[in-house]
Amino acid sequence: MDPRTRDVAVTGVGLLSPAGTCPDSTWATLLRGVSVARPDPVLAGLRTDFSCAVPDFAVRALLGHVTARRMDPYSQMAVVAARQAVDDAGLDPARWRGDRVAVVLGVGSNSLHSYEEPFRLLSENRGDRVSPYQVTRSVPNMAAAEVALDLGAHGVNFTTSSACASGATALGTALDLLRAGRCDIALAGGSESARSRMTTTCFGQMRAMSARRADPATASRPFDVERDGFVPGEGAAVMVLERSEDAHRRNAAVRGYLAGYGASADAHHPAAPHPEARGAEAAVLAALEDAGCTARDVDHVNAHATSTPLNDVTEARMLRRLFRHDPPVTANKSVIGHALGAAGAIEALLTVLSLQHRTIPPTANLRRQEPGAELDVVTGAPRTVRMRTALSTSFGFGGQNTALVLRAP
């Protein structure tokens, strides 16, 4: 059997990121290869007082004041991204079979800032002022639930949580659902808005976030020897996935294909990656096998590359070990920061755009790579490459490893 018959078509994409409020604006910013990190008033006075924030997207105008008010920002962004993706796919929710439409979204920590106001009120003995929307605003499944409510998707609906691999895990899970015939359309991706003082303080105490306060735009520097941690980001990415034969039957414009999914657990440490990245390697090999291809078939890698001291060097050595032909690599977090649970979905979507445009966006702020862990990282300017197959990697605390193989249309 031709392994491509198992591929699932990407027929629509929706994206809100720190680089733009739709896929096209994000792509244009990404091609410039300059970080969008800026001082963040929300984080003023903290060790990391800057972030990559999503630009204003007129949420009340899009969703209505009452609806927007009941949602946390991560749910707001998920709904807007899902609407974009469905519109891009040329689908009309009023005409689809809602019971055959699944929603699978990844969330890492949901929006911890939604708890900060209730904590303040409780500390002041004003619990009666806590919003009645607090529970439904903050529980992690609500992004997927709100998307279903908004679009009339009555099929399988759940949330994946595998730390910073959550969004990629959601896409892989949707791939499995479509192959198993559990749905006909899947709205899959991830959403996260964790620009909170609590989250930033906790990551800062771990020394996982950059403290390069004097020049935030140079703080996120994946694979660079002077990296000192990630830059907090946020965003939402949703893809419309359909079985290839269904997409072709309705003459849908196919942006790319999700071809393979692999996952593993390091079972090594709560936060640190395995020093030899054996779990990450297992996830990549499983994704390649699922896609029916080999390491030599990979033309491009969109790396997890968080700009943390441990992650980048272990990932780089793993990629060097598996891909002896040295395919070009990019690290989107250098420009848009780390959106935690949404990062894998955002980067998979950007990989689809790379394959579609045959262009790899540059990695920002890379001056000198770790000796013995050098890769062909695209820097300075976008690189035009003939690409058929690409890999997107995502790794999270707890040793959660996810890899996705994507193919060009």
Side-chain angles (χ1 to χ4, degrees), residues 147-188:
V147 168
L149 281 164
D150 187 68
L151 295 172
H154 299 280
V156 177
N157 184 293
F158 62 92
T159 298
T160 60
S161 187
S162 48
C164 299
S166 299
T169 303
L171 290 165
T173 301
L175 173 67
D176 287 346
L177 288 172
L178 283 159
R179 285 173 172 172
R182 297 287 304 279
C183 61
D184 296 327
I185 298 169
L187 310 180

Side-chain angles (χ1 to χ4, degrees), residues 108-366:
S109 62
N110 67 303
S111 295
L112 291 181
H113 61 71
S114 70
Y115 293 101
E116 291 178 348
E117 177 66 6
F119 287 159
R120 184 184 66 79
L121 291 170
L122 287 168
S123 71
E124 298 170 355
N125 293 317
R126 293 196 296 158
D128 60 324
R129 301 298 299 274
V130 173
S131 170
Y133 296 119
Q134 180 58 37
V135 173
T136 56
R137 179 185 291 149
S138 58
V139 290
N141 71 298
M142 284 309 295
E146 291 285 8
V147 168
L149 281 164
D150 187 68
L151 295 172
H154 299 280
V156 177
N157 184 293
F158 62 92
T159 298
T160 60
S161 187
S162 48
C164 299
S166 299
T169 303
L171 290 165
T173 301
L175 173 67
D176 287 346
L177 288 172
L178 283 159
R179 285 173 172 172
R182 297 287 304 279
C183 61
D184 296 327
I185 298 169
L187 310 180
S191 187
E192 195 91 273
S193 178
R195 286 171 43 245
S196 77
R197 297 180 68 81
M198 182 190 301
T199 304
T200 303
T201 297
C202 292
F203 276 116
Q205 289 296 99
M206 297 178 69
R207 296 299 188 262
M209 278 188 181
S210 173
R212 210 176 293 272
R213 300 172 64 180
D215 191 5
T218 66
S220 184
R221 43 181 68 197
F223 299 122
D224 191 88
V225 292
E226 295 185 359
R227 64 194 182 278
D228 73 329
F230 72 85
V231 173
E234 61 181 356
V238 176
M239 296 191 211
V240 174
L241 304 177
E242 305 176 63
R243 283 181 291 273
S244 297
E245 59 268 29
D246 293 339
H248 295 151
R249 189 179 300 117
R250 70 177 187 89
N251 295 315
V254 175
R255 285 184 172 268
Y257 295 93
L258 180 54
Y261 162 52
S264 71
D266 282 351
H268 166 70
H269 188 274
H274 189 281
E276 297 179 358
R278 293 300 178 186
E281 178 180 327
V284 170
L285 291 174
L288 294 173
E289 181 179 9
D290 190 41
C293 61
T294 68
R296 188 65 183 83
D297 296 318
V298 172
D299 303 308
H300 165 49
V301 177
N302 188 310
H304 182 61
T306 57
S307 185
T308 53
L310 288 179
N311 174 86
D312 290 17
V313 68
T314 55
E315 182 176 15
R317 288 171 179 162
M318 180 270 293
L319 293 175
R320 280 169 58 94
R321 189 165 66 240
L322 288 183
F323 300 103
R324 301 299 179 89
H325 60 297
D326 201 20
V329 175
T330 196
N332 299 147
K333 293 182 184 72
S334 65
V335 174
I336 60 176
H338 191 356
L340 303 179
I346 292 171
E347 289 156 16
L349 190 154
L350 294 173
T351 304
V352 169
L353 296 184
S354 283
L355 288 163
Q356 185 178 5
H357 297 296
R358 296 187 177 182
T359 302
I360 300 173
T363 298
N365 302 322
L366 178 56

